[in-house]
Amino acid sequence: MEVIALAAMSLDGFITRGSEPGTAFTSPEDKDWFGKTMSEFPIKVLGRKTFEVSRDFILGQSQEDESGLRIVMTRDPSKFSEWHFPGRLEFTDRSITEIVSSLKEGPMADPKVAVLGGGAVYSAFLNSNLLDEFWITLEPQLFGSGAPIVTEPSLPKLTLKESIQLGPSTLLLKYRCTKS
């Protein structure tokens, strides 16, 4: 199983522009790349805030797409019981270690897992030593404020594996996480 985090961020390290939620700031090239890339990941893990920003899109896909699983990390899964679709859209308060262990033992034991944020989720995965790679789209913008890509210092060392130019000024950086 490969666990890969994906994020788009500004040059100054923010995954949102100020208090504006979501990734509306990303380039058309990133949106195109991201849409195509998501088909490679049968399992997607995200935080509650990321779910809330993309709720309508995710709910529409979860009812249509029976081949993928989205796991939303939240302190209170019962608040989301109306949207819980076992095997497609699940809400959990389990730890990252428990989530990854259950995925390794489940029927989809060999897939790629996409970690889709936000900053607290990225930090937790980085510091759990369970992240294999971190793919970051670097957008040529400076926000000065917003949600940071990580919310606490991260322990793993990142080694650049590949750099891809998605658009005239947009870069995709693929890093390998060195596990301790």
Side-chain angles (χ1 to χ4, degrees), residues 99-166:
I99 292 169
V100 172
S101 291
S102 70
L103 292 172
K104 286 181 178 178
E105 296 166 4
M108 302 173 83
D110 293 323
K112 285 179 159 179
V113 175
V115 177
L116 302 176
V121 173
Y122 293 137
S123 291
F125 267 90
L126 283 164
N127 290 324
S128 71
N129 231 13
L130 294 171
L131 200 59
D132 296 300
E133 294 185 13
F134 205 147
W135 299 354
I136 301 170
T137 299
L138 192 56
E139 292 288 1
Q141 300 179 45
L142 298 167
F143 300 154
S145 68
I149 192 164
V150 293
T151 58
E152 58 187 66
S154 83
L155 301 174
K157 180 181 178 187
L158 303 177
T159 305
L160 185 62
K161 179 180 142 181
E162 185 177 10
S163 174
I164 302 167
Q165 190 157 356
L166 294 180

Side-chain angles (χ1 to χ4, degrees), residues 5-147:
L6 296 92
M9 75 174 191
S10 64
L11 291 175
D12 52 352
F14 295 107
I15 56 175
T16 65
R17 181 184 354 213
S19 60
E20 179 183 305
T23 56
F25 70 89
T26 60
S27 63
E29 295 86 359
D30 175 65
K31 286 176 176 52
D32 183 55
W33 172 83
F34 184 79
K36 291 175 183 172
T37 301
M38 281 300 93
S39 65
E40 298 174 22
F41 293 91
I43 299 172
K44 298 160 186 77
V45 178
L46 54 147
R48 174 195 54 83
K49 289 179 187 175
T50 303
F51 169 76
E52 288 174 344
V53 168
S54 303
R55 184 182 67 203
D56 293 340
F57 177 77
I58 291 170
L59 291 174
Q61 280 196 327
S62 294
Q63 292 175 351
E64 297 169 11
D65 179 13
E66 296 184 26
S67 63
L69 169 63
R70 286 174 185 77
I71 299 170
V72 179
M73 298 176 64
T74 176
R75 288 187 185 95
D76 190 357
S78 64
K79 285 185 179 179
F80 302 93
S81 60
E82 70 183 281
W83 297 307
H84 189 88
F85 300 107
R88 291 191 295 192
L89 179 59
E90 299 178 1
F91 298 84
T92 185
D93 58 1
R94 293 179 298 161
S95 73
I96 289 169
T97 304
E98 292 171 316
I99 292 169
V100 172
S101 291
S102 70
L103 292 172
K104 286 181 178 178
E105 296 166 4
M108 302 173 83
D110 293 323
K112 285 179 159 179
V113 175
V115 177
L116 302 176
V121 173
Y122 293 137
S123 291
F125 267 90
L126 283 164
N127 290 324
S128 71
N129 231 13
L130 294 171
L131 200 59
D132 296 300
E133 294 185 13
F134 205 147
W135 299 354
I136 301 170
T137 299
L138 192 56
E139 292 288 1
Q141 300 179 45
L142 298 167
F143 300 154
S145 68

